[in-house]
Structure formats: C-alpha cells, structure tokens
Amino acid sequence: MLARNRFILLLLVAAVLAVLSLSLQFLHLIPTTPVRDEKSPGKSRKRVNPVPHTEPPEPDPIYEAYAYCNIPNRTEQGWEGHCPADYKLLSVHVMIRHGDRYPLYAIPKTRRPAIDCMLVPDRKPTHPQLAAFITHMSRGRWDTALASLPRVPNHSVCEMGELTQTGVVQHLRNGHLLRNTYIKRHKLLPPDWSGQQLLVESTGKSRTLQSGLALLYGLLPDFDWAKLSVRHQWSTLFCDSSCDCPARNQYLEEEQKRQYQLRVADTQLDRTYAAMARTVGVPPRQLRAANPVDSLLCHLCHSLSFPCTPQGCLSTRQFAVIRRQQLEDEHDRRRRGLYHRYALLAAHPFLNRTAARMLRAAEGRRYGLFALSSAHDVTVAPLLSALGLAGARFPRFAARVVFELWRSPPPPRGVKDKDGDGDGDRDRDRRRLFVRVLYDGEDVTFQTTFCRDHDRHSQPLCPFSNFLSFVRKDMFSILNATSYHEACHRRPV
C-alpha cells in the first residue's frame, strides 16, 4: 500500500513539473533551442539569415600574412579570358610580382632561415612541369643584358633575396592557368608565334627574371629560345625614358615622412621592438634597421620556427604587432592620399606604354599580343593605387595584374551605329574596343577610377576609350595638370 502511494505521488510531481516547464517555455523564460556551445542533435534545414555587420571586422594580421605568402597548396581559378560570346581577344598585358624569395635582411645575432634554393622536383612544393622547366632553362642561349643572371635559383643555402622553389612553382602555376585561358581557349598566340608578338621585360634582379621565365614556361612549354628576347628595365617603375619626374620624388619623400610619423606614434610597436631587441641582444635602433618582419615572414611562409637566442625566442604575438601596424599604415596611406599622388606619376609610363601597345594591336599590327612585365612590390603597388583600386591588398608573392583588350562583333548588316553619325571608320572601330582589368584572377574593372561610374546595364564591358582618356589626361586632374610632363614639373601643393 505504501509503495502504491509513493508511485501516485511521483506521478503527481511529474505532472506538475511538466505543466510548469511548458508554461516557462511559453513565456520565453528558458531557451527552447540549443545554446551556441552545444551541438544540435541534427542538421537544421531552416534557413538562417546572417545579421549584417555595420562595419567590416578588423583584419587579422596573421591571416593577412598567410595570404601574402600565397602558399601554392590549393587549386586556383581566375576570371581571365571571360567575355560575352563573339567578342575577340586582341591582346593581353600582364605585370607580375616575383615569387617567394629569401629575406633581404637578416635579424642580428640569429640564425638565418635554413632554406635550400636548389630546385628539386621531388621536394614540396612542386609542379608537374618543374623537372622539364629545369632542363629547358639549361639549354637556352641568348644575347641580352640579362644573360649574366642565372635562369634558375642555384644555391643550396639561399642567398639574400634569392627566388625559392616555392617562388618558381607559384609562377609555373600562374603560367599554366593563363595558358589554359589565352593559348588553348582564345588562341591568342599562333603556334608559330614571333618575337614581335611576345614581349617580355624584367628588372635586373635574378628573382624577377627567373619568375618571368617560370611563368613563360607555364604559358608556352618548351618555347623557342631563338624567338625570345627579354628586355632589361633599369628602373623598378618600368618608366623607360620617362623616369625624370621631380614631383613624383617629392610626393614619395612626403609619403615616407608620413610613414615615419605613424610608426613613431605607435607606442605598442615601440615596446614590441624594445622587447625583441632585448631578446636578440642589440639596441632597438639596430633591430628596426634590420627590418625583422621581412625575415619573420619568410619563417612563417616556410613553416619554420621563429628565431631564438639564449635570452628567448621571438614570438608570433610580436610579429602580429608589426603586421598590425603595417595594415594600419596601408589604411592611413589611402586616407591621406599622398601615396596616390606619387602612384599616379610612378605608374603613368607603364600605363601609357600599355595603352599604346593596345592601340597597335587593335590596328591589326600583330605586335605585342602578349606582354609580360616581371617586377617587384614597389612596381605593382603604385599601379594598383593609380588605377584607383583602394581596397586591393598589398601585392602578395607572385601577384599578377592583367589588362585584356577585346573587340565586340560588328553590328548586323544594315544596322547603323547610332553613335557614329559623321564619324570615320577609325572612330567607329574604337567604339568596339573594350578593356578588362584583373588582379590575382579577380575582375576589378568596375572598381577602377575610369570605369567605376560606367553604366553596366547598357554595356557589360568597360569601353577602351575610358581607359585611353584616363591615361592621356584624366589621371592628372587630381594633380592640377593636364599632362605627365606638366604634373612632373609642377611644384606639389
């Protein structure tokens, strides 16, 4: 009898608790869905709309550093060569930054990164064309100002600034990607291409020459050395005979002052350098002069431990502070605008030469169908700024900027060009020309200054006339000038 009464009492208590629980859920006093830290018992099929952020999250210095490394460990796709049907590709102009390199500076009193710069196809990272590339580089003979430079990295212990195997693989991949688009799909270069149709230029550093050759081999495997001529660019700005520009140098000096003032005002950066200097046993001024972030980036990109001394090791946290300051510097640089003025004058000679080559290709001269310029970060960064690509990341290793020239199909027979009344054939032909700009495979054409306001509904491509007008006069308006010569010799305000 006692057991029966206890059973009835338990049933009554359970019933009361059940009613109370349902009441609390109805009044939203307890949660009915799992909290964030718990796992849901099954996959929810309900669509959850994310809450939009009013401001983008702060950039992660370590994530940005890995993006800068551009480690070739994944398949990369690009939007190069994409255009409406029946449009014809006329020419392509590519500027690249060299691939991964050994540091330019050494951190005092620490061991240099142990990296082998000999090319070994069986060592990662590698590429299916690497062995053939090594063989082909050993066969060529050419008469050029760059002939004294080695065509492949060749030191078992890397020299300062030397291209690594990673850097070669990065550009073999770039070349292979561009080959699939421009050679196989669009037939830009004929099988019997000539040296007039393929233009290659490089600075006098082995890392840029070797990067250009690696991309070229990916683009045209086993190319004919007799047809190849690599032009030596004496200036990292690729300015040819237009390098004399006093105003550009003044803008650069002002920009460097801005950088210095921003660094000096950063107390966290100052404390970090002081701590790092104590670890390696040198004055902070000496450590700053050694630009330690360059060496630390190499360690990070090659998965090497940071340098250590008897006093301790340099840390990822310290590296993140320096990278954080660099990212803040990029933001302040865009806001102040001094660098942009410098960049307009620094990039104009290259842009002007590119526009002229495009015009020749459009006239059917078959000259410079594919142009490759192998350069440095100090070449690519001003180019991006001059184009108005304010949101573009700082050029990573093996970065590429691509300019494509396209021609639309002619209007159907009997249909008049409504914008061409009274114009000659030359003007009508130019209205059929369009340009695309891509950065690391992303189409950034409509982020550029000259096509940001273009009506994409009426014409999905950017008119070449916009680009031509920008290069010839519009880009100088911010400098209160109408030409490159006037802008270069006008005293900066």
Side-chain angles (χ1 to χ4, degrees), residues 258 262 327-337:
R258 180 205 62 78
L262 191 67
L327 294 174
E328 290 180 358
D329 176 77
E330 291 179 23
H331 177 75
D332 187 68
R333 182 178 72 185
R334 290 190 290 265
R335 183 180 64 84
R336 294 282 295 275

Side-chain angles (χ1 to χ4, degrees), residues 147-422:
S148 61
L149 296 178
R151 294 172 200 161
V152 295
N154 57 3
H155 293 92
S156 57
V157 178
C158 293
E159 294 189 342
M160 292 297 186
E162 187 172 8
L163 194 71
T164 66
Q165 178 162 317
T166 300
V168 171
V169 169
Q170 287 167 337
H171 278 301
L172 284 173
R173 288 163 59 98
N174 273 344
H176 182 73
L177 186 150
L178 299 184
R179 173 177 174 79
N180 288 337
T181 297
Y182 297 134
I183 306 301
K184 291 185 176 180
R185 190 194 314 166
H186 290 288
K187 316 295 184 188
L188 180 64
L189 288 174
D192 59 344
W193 56 270
S194 69
Q196 294 295 313
Q197 295 169 331
L198 175 67
L199 305 179
V200 182
E201 55 186 354
S202 170
T203 64
K205 297 294 184 181
S206 61
R207 58 182 176 272
T208 54
L209 175 63
Q210 293 162 4
S211 294
L213 290 174
L215 187 147
L216 186 59
Y217 190 83
L219 180 78
L220 298 168
D222 299 322
F223 58 81
D224 187 348
W225 283 101
K227 298 180 180 180
L228 180 65
S229 176
V230 181
R231 187 162 175 264
H232 182 197
Q233 279 286 351
W234 293 94
S235 169
T236 56
L237 295 180
F238 285 61
C239 48
D240 278 349
S241 60
S242 302
C243 292
D244 180 29
C245 187
R248 181 196 66 218
N249 300 336
Q250 292 182 42
Y251 284 126
L252 181 59
E253 290 177 5
E254 293 180 25
E255 164 62 15
Q256 290 170 342
K257 290 178 183 177
R258 180 205 62 78
Q259 288 181 331
Y260 174 76
Q261 292 169 355
L262 191 67
R263 286 196 301 266
V264 169
D266 194 320
T267 56
Q268 185 186 22
L269 180 67
D270 190 61
R271 290 194 301 268
T272 299
Y273 273 125
M276 294 172 68
R278 286 193 297 271
T279 299
V280 300
V282 298
R285 184 186 297 270
Q286 182 181 348
L287 181 70
R288 282 177 177 264
N291 193 22
V293 70
D294 184 52
S295 180
L296 295 179
L297 268 169
C298 180
H299 284 79
L300 184 81
C301 295
H302 289 263
S303 301
L304 301 174
S305 300
F306 280 0
C308 292
T309 69
Q311 288 75 36
C313 298
L314 303 182
S315 68
T316 305
R317 182 175 298 179
Q318 292 168 334
F319 171 75
V321 170
I322 302 176
R323 286 293 296 169
R324 184 268 308 161
Q325 195 279 331
Q326 289 181 327
L327 294 174
E328 290 180 358
D329 176 77
E330 291 179 23
H331 177 75
D332 187 68
R333 182 178 72 185
R334 290 190 290 265
R335 183 180 64 84
R336 294 282 295 275
L338 287 171
Y339 183 82
H340 181 59
R341 287 171 168 79
Y342 158 77
L344 288 169
L345 297 176
H348 177 265
F350 172 81
L351 288 171
N352 189 52
R353 192 163 63 251
T354 299
R357 288 172 176 171
M358 286 180 168
L359 282 173
R360 285 196 291 269
E363 293 169 358
R365 300 189 194 179
R366 307 291 289 172
Y367 174 83
L369 300 185
F370 187 93
L372 173 64
S373 303
S374 188
H376 304 263
D377 55 354
V378 294
T379 322
V380 179
L383 177 61
L384 297 172
S385 179
L387 291 172
L389 301 174
R393 277 181 174 157
F394 187 81
R396 64 187 186 180
F397 286 130
R400 66 183 188 272
V401 181
V402 177
F403 298 83
E404 297 175 350
L405 180 67
W406 296 82
R407 175 181 282 136
S408 66
R413 182 173 298 179
V415 177
K416 290 186 177 181
D417 185 351
K418 62 180 180 180
D419 298 323
D421 293 340

